[in-house]
Amino acid sequence: MKQLPSAAFAACLLAASPALAQSPIVDAPAGRLEGSAEGTLRLFKGIPYTQPPVGAKRWQAPAPLPAWPGVRKATSFGPACVQPRPKIAGIYTNPPERMSEDCLTLNVWAPRNAGKLPVFVWIHGGALVSGYSHEGMYDGARMAARGMIVVSINYRLGILGYLAHPGLSAESPEGISGNYGLLDQIAALRWVKDNIGAFGGDAANVTVAGESAGGLSVMYLMASPRARGLFQRAIAQSAYMISAPDLKTARNGTPSAEAAGTLAMTALGAADLAGLRAMDAEKLTSDAAGKGYGPWGTVDGKILPRQLAETWDRGEQAPVPILAGFNSGEIRSLRVLLPPAPADAAAYETAIRARYGDLADAFLRLYPSNAIGESMLATTRDALYGWTSTRLALGQTAIGQRGYLYLFDHGYPATDDNGLHAFHASEIPYVFGTAGRTPALWPKVPDTPAERRMSDAMMGYWSSFAKTGTPAANGQPTWQPYGKEGHYMAFAQAPRPGTKLFPGMFALHEAAVCRRRAAGDQPWNWNTGIASPVLKKTEGCR
């Protein structure tokens, strides 16, 4: 048989298999896009969803991007949004290869020949300071293979994403500033609504999901009137319902967002906004973080009408089903959030009684003095993540929606041998099926049948929730809505349903937050336990 030259052989192969001859192209309202084929999936990378926020557009709301002419290549991930470069390596360290102020892009994983599939939009974590949409753990291929469209997004971070300032408010037609990163997320969701049908997605069946600062962002989206109707379900992993600065007024023990922005401008040595806009984006971001600038959502009466806790109290959050939960070892990898430990059990008890007063007995039952180290880890975990997750499940239940609560309590040798059992974010590679794509210093997940079963179960529950609003997985226990019985699902060595997670935990922290809110001069975040302000008994609070 005569052998064909390699080029001729390739031409014959492509002629016989037309699918191999061309990359996938979609014709979306935003413009035509050329992606890449990966097995049974189509992947479109680095799609811009708004105009670049550069030059005079730095610290402006995202502006619509006109449709581009011709076919735009979407075969390379866009750069990450500007963020400080890590100075010390840790388990989360995984810096992006490229950063740019021109970073507002998203990525789409879609099954071939998709039609009216549910859409899963992922918002990365990183304290609103770091992170990016295409980090390896967030690869959407395995989730998309379960019959969904998966979208991951970038949004502005740090001072570039959340600066409020009187001058910026004066520039705004609405008289407000800050929340630019949140507005980016809303713009991305609008892009999804307008364009995802071209990829085979159902714009009326969108789940917004995120972990840590991504979970905080999910709550901001649920609270923002501007995001209403852009998603039909929500997933909040390790979210934290902390107090946020008010735009113009000092409240809850923190300066106004505009005052904080004014102080940041002075600390950065800029005379005015023009000076700030002229600064190199990377230097500006790094210097601001080094001088203590912290990005948060701003309560401005419009994008965020009020504190998250008040929004949920009033039942004004988005009326959608939610899946929310936290990890048993959240603080084991976030010990920076812990105050210094007291000298002994007596000092611990004295501090708690001085701060918690009539709540001290309930506190010490939950977080006893005979195990100070574990009690402090559990206190901060519950005050930030446990209370928030339970409040989310309760809040949706109260407005007639389903709330599903979980506890991730899963460990493996590399975590347990290093005191990191079920650490913050350790559920992510199980949710995405990306155990082989974790950062370099992440405790390596063993490739065993047991670990694969856990990941398969979690992917099943999460993808089912995104499709139908009910989490279910083949061969796994039924996950009941929180309801009156306080149902939850624990992910330990295997999924295990239960009721009334950590009895007394939510009531204690709800009472503490209620008293802080009533006092009006105290934030509610990680200043808990022995670091808490004095909690005075207040009418209307337990």
Side-chain angles (χ1 to χ4, degrees):
M1 178 178 173
K2 185 178 179 181
Q3 211 170 21
L4 290 171
S6 58
F9 177 77
C12 290
L13 179 62
L14 291 175
S17 305
L20 298 176
Q22 55 187 347
S23 300
I25 292 178
V26 298
D27 192 359
R32 301 188 77 201
L33 285 159
E34 178 184 345
S36 55
E38 295 189 359
T40 61
L41 300 176
R42 299 169 297 152
L43 175 53
F44 299 85
K45 304 175 181 177
I47 305 170
Y49 62 83
T50 186
Q51 292 183 35
V54 299
K57 289 186 171 62
R58 182 185 284 183
W59 298 308
Q60 287 189 2
L65 184 68
W68 50 78
V71 178
R72 185 186 186 103
K73 278 198 172 287
T75 54
S76 299
F77 290 117
C81 290
V82 178
Q83 55 200 269
R85 297 185 184 275
K87 294 180 171 60
I88 301 173
I91 60 174
Y92 302 112
T93 305
N94 194 17
E97 293 182 3
R98 296 186 299 137
M99 295 190 300
S100 171
E101 200 169 0
D102 180 1
C103 63
L104 298 184
T105 62
L106 53 78
N107 316 298
V108 178
W109 288 261
R112 189 185 302 154
N113 301 320
K116 297 288 280 188
L117 292 182
V119 183
F120 181 92
V121 179
W122 179 254
I123 304 173
H124 68 77
L128 304 179
V129 172
S130 62
Y132 50 99
S133 64
H134 61 281
E135 184 165 350
M137 282 197 302
Y138 308 149
D139 185 284
R142 292 199 64 191
M143 287 285 275
R146 289 176 172 260
M148 296 192 299
I149 308 295
V150 177
V151 179
S152 64
I153 68 173
N154 282 344
Y155 56 98
R156 280 174 280 183
L157 301 167
I159 195 168
L160 293 172
Y162 294 89
L163 178 70
H165 187 276
L168 291 174
S169 297
E171 289 181 359
S172 163
E174 296 186 281
I176 59 176
S177 59
N179 290 326
Y180 303 107
L182 174 57
L183 289 169
D184 294 342
Q185 295 168 10
I186 294 170
L189 289 172
R190 286 202 184 104
W191 191 96
V192 167
K193 183 178 181 66
D194 293 341
N195 291 276
I196 207 65
F199 299 85
D202 183 356
N205 190 1
V206 175
T207 296
V208 64
E211 185 271 342
S212 194
L216 173 63
S217 297
V218 167
M219 292 190 296
Y220 287 157
L221 290 167
M222 292 179 71
S224 178
R226 304 290 171 89
R228 198 56 48 93
L230 295 178
F231 57 94
Q232 287 68 48
R233 281 177 273 286
I235 297 176
Q237 300 169 209
S238 299
Y240 42 102
M241 192 181 281
I242 59 176
S243 50
D246 185 87
L247 179 63
K248 294 183 178 293
T249 307
R251 289 200 175 106
N252 303 311
T254 57
S256 72
E258 287 188 347
T262 301
L263 288 172
M265 176 185 282
T266 300
L268 291 165
D272 51 27
L273 287 176
L276 275 184
R277 284 190 167 116
M279 291 180 69
D280 173 76
E282 188 170 338
K283 180 174 175 19
L284 169 65
T285 299
S286 181
D287 287 355
K291 293 179 185 300
Y293 175 82
W296 307 109
T298 294
V299 176
D300 58 13
K302 296 182 180 180
I303 311 303
L304 287 179
R306 51 187 57 87
Q307 293 290 340
L308 292 176
E310 185 181 356
T311 295
W312 261 259
D313 284 353
R314 296 162 63 114
E316 293 177 350
Q317 73 275 21
V320 300
I322 194 166
L323 187 156
F326 64 108
N327 298 359
S328 65
E330 295 277 8
I331 312 301
R332 295 186 183 280
S333 58
L334 298 174
R335 291 175 184 266
V336 67
L337 300 180
L338 294 178
D344 52 35
Y348 176 83
E349 288 204 25
T350 298
I352 295 303
R353 293 197 179 279
R355 287 160 171 78
Y356 282 79
D358 60 303
L359 299 175
D361 286 342
F363 185 102
L364 291 168
R365 280 194 296 272
L366 286 167
Y367 313 110
S369 61
N370 63 359
I372 293 174
E374 289 300 309
S375 289
M376 289 178 64
L377 288 168
T379 297
T380 303
R381 173 199 69 197
D382 293 348
L384 279 174
Y385 305 107
W387 169 74
T388 298
S389 298
T390 307
R391 210 173 201 273
L392 292 176
L394 276 166
Q396 296 314 97
T397 302
I399 63 170
Q401 296 291 331
R402 294 187 303 279
Y404 294 92
L405 178 67
Y406 74 85
L407 173 71
F408 186 77
D409 189 26
H410 182 73
Y412 47 91
T415 57
D416 296 351
D417 292 348
N418 289 285
L420 291 171
H421 182 91
F423 64 94
H424 183 69
S426 59
E427 85 286 359
I428 292 175
Y430 291 89
V431 169
F432 280 92
T434 50
R437 304 200 61 186
T438 55
L441 298 180
W442 192 279
K444 294 303 176 189
V445 182
D447 185 14
T448 64
E451 300 305 317
R452 291 194 293 272
R453 281 195 299 272
M454 176 60 77
S455 181
D456 187 66
M458 294 188 74
M459 282 194 289
Y461 283 121
W462 263 243
S463 61
S464 169
F465 178 79
K467 292 174 183 178
T468 68
T470 300
N474 290 335
Q476 300 296 339
T478 298
W479 189 344
Q480 297 282 357
Y482 188 83
K484 294 181 180 179
E485 299 300 316
H487 291 283
Y488 70 95
M489 184 67 74
F491 294 94
Q493 294 314 302
R496 185 186 69 248
T499 58
K500 296 177 173 59
L501 176 62
F502 299 159
M505 176 273 287
F506 176 78
L508 171 68
H509 294 290
E510 179 70 12
V513 171
C514 182
R515 295 182 182 195
R516 292 184 185 192
R517 291 171 63 190
D521 60 357
Q522 304 165 10
W524 53 94
N525 44 48
W526 41 86
N527 56 337
T528 188
I530 64 169
S532 174
V534 173
L535 302 174
K536 296 178 181 178
K537 196 166 186 178
T538 305
E539 186 177 352
C541 299
R542 178 184 156 219

